[in-house]
Amino acid sequence: MATEGKKVDPVDELVGILDLERIEVDRFRGFTPPSRSIRIFGGQVISQALVSACRTVDGPICHSLHAYFIRPGNPEVPILYEVDRARDGKSFATRRVIAIQNGEQIFNLAASFHTKEEGFDHQQDMPDVPAPEDLTSEAEQRLSMAQQLPEPMKSAFMAEQPIDIRSVKPQNIINPQKLDPENFTWIKLKKRVAADDQHTHHTILAYASDMSLLDTCVRPHGVNFFKGAQMASLDHAMWFHGDFRADEWLLYVQESPKASNGRGMNFGRIYRRDGVLIATVAQEGLIRPYKSKR
C-alpha cells in the first residue's frame, strides 16, 4: 500500500497490486490502490483473479479466460480470491476463481491453461495505422482538458495511469462527438518491468484490455462515462495466442458491431508491433443513457 502523502509510480503501484498475498494454498488476498477511491476498476479484478489462477498452475500458460462482473467492488475492502483446481491434464489445466467481498461474490473467472505445442498457423492482418510516436497520449489530452472540469472531478480525471494509451482517432472526453464504432489504440506499460515470464505479461495485458474497450460501443452516440451514459463492464473474455511483452507497444484494434437493450457489444484484437496477433478480446457492457453529470 502507498505511504500517505508520498507519490507512487503508477507502474510500481500496478505491479504491487498484482503481487497478491497468499493466505492459504488456493486462497489469495488482493488490495485496491489508494488512487482508486470511488469504485474498483474492472481490469484490476480480472488481472488479480488471473494472478490467483496462475499461481496454482505449474507449466502451462493461460490461453483463455472468461469472466463475469457480478457486483461493484468496494475499493476500501480487501478482495478474497478463491481458486478451484477444476482439472489438471496432460496438455490443459482449468481453474475457476471467485472474488469475494463481505461474504458476497463480486466477480468470477474461468481460465484455461495450455502447454505449448506446434500446429496450424494463420491470422487476420494488422491494420496500417500511424506509429505511436506520431500520436498524442491520452494523458496529454486529459491535461489540456482538465481546466474545463469542476474541481472535485479534476483529481480523478488527472490520475496518472500505468498504461500509455495513444488513440489513432481519440474521442473528446469532455464533449464527446459521434464517431464510428471502432478505435485503433496503441498501448504500453509506461516503463519496463524486470519479469520475462508470460504469466506476468498476461496479467498486465488483462488489466489494460479493460481500459478502453467499452468506450467503443458508445462512440456512435456521442456520449461517454463523463457525459450522457452510465457504463459498466458486464463480462470479459480474452484469448492469448502468442508471446509478447506488455511493456512494448501493442496495437489494440477495437470495434462494436451492436448496441441494444441497454448493452453494448465490443471486440478487440491486440497485435505486437511486428504485426503478430497476440490476443483477442470480447466484452459486453451496460450502457444506459442518462442526463449529463455536469
Side-chain angles (χ1 to χ4, degrees):
M1 303 294 287
T3 302
E4 187 175 352
K6 181 179 179 181
K7 184 176 180 181
V8 179
D9 179 272
V11 175
D12 294 340
E13 184 177 71
L14 174 58
V15 172
I17 67 169
L18 295 181
D19 185 17
L20 301 184
E21 177 189 1
R22 192 169 212 146
I23 57 176
E24 249 294 347
V25 175
D26 294 331
R27 291 186 176 185
F28 303 84
R29 182 184 286 124
F31 297 90
T32 301
S35 57
R36 283 277 169 181
S37 59
I38 300 174
R39 65 178 184 178
I40 298 175
F41 169 51
Q44 172 193 324
V45 189
I46 297 170
S47 57
Q48 288 182 330
L50 182 56
V51 168
S52 300
C54 290
R55 289 194 180 177
T56 68
V57 176
D58 183 17
I61 298 296
C62 181
H63 73 90
S64 70
L65 63 85
H66 300 259
Y68 282 95
F69 298 93
I70 302 171
R71 295 180 175 90
N74 182 346
E76 297 182 358
V77 177
I79 308 171
L80 174 66
Y81 294 94
E82 294 188 345
V83 182
D84 173 24
R85 303 188 186 218
R87 178 177 185 263
D88 284 300
K90 292 182 179 180
S91 299
F92 290 89
T94 307
R95 297 291 185 266
R96 294 185 181 276
V97 183
I98 298 173
I100 300 169
Q101 281 189 323
N102 297 320
E104 294 184 324
Q105 288 191 38
I106 64 168
F107 171 90
N108 61 50
L109 173 144
S112 181
F113 296 76
H114 184 210
T115 302
K116 284 188 177 182
E117 59 182 86
E118 295 297 321
F120 301 109
D121 196 335
H122 76 273
Q123 71 163 62
Q124 189 171 354
D125 289 341
M126 184 174 76
D128 184 13
V129 300
E133 293 82 5
D134 298 330
L135 301 172
T136 303
S137 71
E138 183 180 279
E140 293 174 293
Q141 294 166 16
R142 286 181 176 242
L143 181 62
S144 67
M145 299 176 185
Q147 298 307 315
Q148 303 175 47
L149 290 172
E151 196 60 43
M153 293 180 64
K154 278 186 183 179
S155 58
F157 186 78
M158 290 305 301
E160 191 175 357
Q161 300 295 328
I163 309 297
D164 192 344
I165 302 174
R166 303 189 182 195
S167 177
V168 172
K169 192 173 183 180
Q171 176 63 280
N172 186 309
I173 304 172
I174 304 298
N175 294 301
Q177 308 300 308
K178 292 185 177 181
L179 302 172
D180 291 336
E182 63 179 20
N183 190 19
F184 302 146
T185 303
W186 289 99
I187 58 175
K188 179 175 72 71
L189 197 66
K190 285 186 175 178
K191 72 177 185 180
R192 199 165 183 87
V193 291
D196 293 320
D197 64 286
Q198 283 302 290
H199 286 316
T200 296
H201 292 277
H202 281 187
T203 56
I204 293 171
L205 186 60
Y207 177 94
S209 68
D210 190 40
M211 294 190 75
S212 60
L213 187 58
L214 184 55
D215 297 334
T216 314
C217 64
V218 295
R219 285 168 74 95
H221 309 286
V223 297
N224 60 15
F225 177 76
F226 286 97
K227 186 175 183 179
Q230 177 189 357
M231 300 174 63
S233 303
L234 295 174
D235 59 19
H236 197 90
M238 196 166 186
W239 297 262
F240 300 100
H241 311 306
D243 293 348
F244 64 92
R245 292 191 63 93
D247 51 14
E248 295 178 352
W249 285 115
L250 301 168
L251 179 65
Y252 198 177
V253 177
Q254 302 156 92
E255 54 193 4
S256 174
K258 179 67 175 179
S260 63
N261 300 307
R263 304 189 308 274
M265 188 70 216
N266 307 276
F267 293 98
R269 302 191 309 277
I270 304 177
Y271 294 87
R272 287 195 324 229
R273 194 164 186 171
D274 61 3
V276 174
L277 178 64
I278 54 91
T280 301
V281 189
Q283 183 185 86
E284 188 177 44
L286 175 73
I287 50 168
R288 286 185 180 141
Y290 74 111
K291 292 182 179 180
S292 173
K293 292 181 177 182
R294 297 182 62 191

